[in-house]
Amino acid sequence: EVQLVESGGGLVKPGGSLRLSCAAPGLTFSNAWMSWIRQAPGKGLEWVGRIKKKSDGGTTDYAAPVKGRFTISRDVSTNTVYVQMNSLKTEDTGIYYCTTGVGYMDVWGKGTTVTVSS
Amino acid sequence: EIVLTQSPATLSLSPGERATLSCRASQSISSNLAWYQQKPGQAPRLLIYDASNRVTGIPARFSGSGSGTDFTLTISSLEPEDFAVYYCQQRSNDRVFTFGPGTKVDIK
């Protein structure tokens, strides 16, 4: 069974940057669509963005609130997916989940917590 | 952007009762809809995809229906472990995905 493990969360000041990582032993990321989903405290799920598998073009798309600030990338040598988050705002606070699946999120990590606060 | 609305926001039922959850899309999404279950402190779990297909291992009491703009998740007879929050999610175009706001099913 595929397992996803997120890391890199923490406390950051507004305007700062953070990079989250997602590792999956046994899953070849180049063959998978990977998405990041977040959940603000006490709120619902919000799709953040996605990177397609290489054979589907490897392209990325983002939700409007993060477009231009967040960048999803993949390192095939380490089998890791990243989300680089810049110009962070307090409303970016929440749990960030790494998921895999073509359009639907069929495997989820346990999440990593990001807190944006002064 | 396709907007999903879910109703009701909260559904208070007793074990053994039938739960009917609704998800409506702002425009037609064909059958490109999934349902997820989330329990407190846990990551969500995919239950249903393509509107009506149950994921392997999901109990038969969970069923999905609908197409176009109106979708339903039905839990035929609630078990104690079914009390949770349920989200719908669309993948109509493969560029931007969205979730509904969720329906909480709690114990009456």
Side-chain angles (χ1 to χ4, degrees):
Chain A
E1 182 181 322
V2 173
Q3 291 187 329
L4 304 176
V5 181
E6 304 93 336
S7 60
L11 174 64
V12 61
K13 288 182 168 49
S17 297
L18 208 58
R19 189 179 77 161
L20 306 183
S21 302
C22 174
L27 174 68
T28 303
F29 280 151
S30 60
N31 293 336
W33 288 37
M34 303 299 298
S35 291
W36 287 91
I37 312 298
R38 68 183 181 183
Q39 188 167 35
K43 303 297 184 183
L45 303 173
E46 181 182 24
W47 180 80
V48 171
R50 177 229 64 236
I51 184 165
K52 290 184 179 180
K53 63 183 179 181
K54 191 175 180 180
S55 59
D56 287 338
T59 54
T60 53
D61 284 287
Y62 302 92
V66 308
K67 198 169 185 178
R69 300 188 298 123
F70 288 17
T71 303
I72 297 174
S73 61
R74 173 177 19 226
D75 184 337
V76 295
S77 65
T78 60
N79 222 27
T80 303
V81 169
Y82 302 97
V83 57
Q84 175 68 43
M85 306 186 295
N86 299 329
S87 303
L88 283 162
K89 307 175 181 180
T90 55
E91 53 264 40
D92 294 320
T93 292
I95 299 173
Y96 283 70
Y97 296 102
C98 172
T99 73
T100 185
V102 180
Y104 303 127
M105 325 302 161
D106 51 12
V107 180
W108 295 66
K110 294 186 186 302
T112 186
T113 299
V114 172
T115 304
V116 184
S117 174
S118 55
Chain B
E1 177 183 308
I2 296 172
V3 177
L4 299 178
T5 55
Q6 291 187 243
S7 62
T10 303
L11 193 54
S12 297
L13 295 169
S14 301
E17 289 193 295
R18 183 183 188 89
T20 303
L21 288 66
S22 174
C23 177
R24 177 164 289 177
S26 59
Q27 63 190 77
S28 178
I29 57 171
S30 187
S31 297
N32 294 302
L33 187 100
W35 290 94
Y36 300 82
Q37 176 194 66
Q38 187 180 32
K39 297 179 181 179
Q42 297 184 16
R45 174 175 70 149
L46 179 65
L47 301 175
I48 302 284
Y49 64 95
D50 288 343
S52 60
N53 295 300
R54 214 168 28 249
V55 171
T56 301
I58 300 301
R61 63 181 180 273
F62 291 91
S63 63
S65 63
S67 66
T69 61
D70 290 297
F71 301 86
T72 301
L73 174 69
T74 301
I75 310 170
S76 59
S77 178
L78 283 163
E79 296 288 339
E81 62 267 29
D82 300 337
F83 291 93
V85 181
Y86 293 85
Y87 297 93
C88 56
Q89 176 246 324
Q90 67 82 21
R91 64 154 200 182
S92 177
N93 64 65
D94 66 358
R95 297 202 59 190
V96 175
F97 308 141
T98 51
F99 286 90
T103 290
K104 183 178 182 181
V105 179
D106 65 14
I107 300 176
K108 188 173 181 182

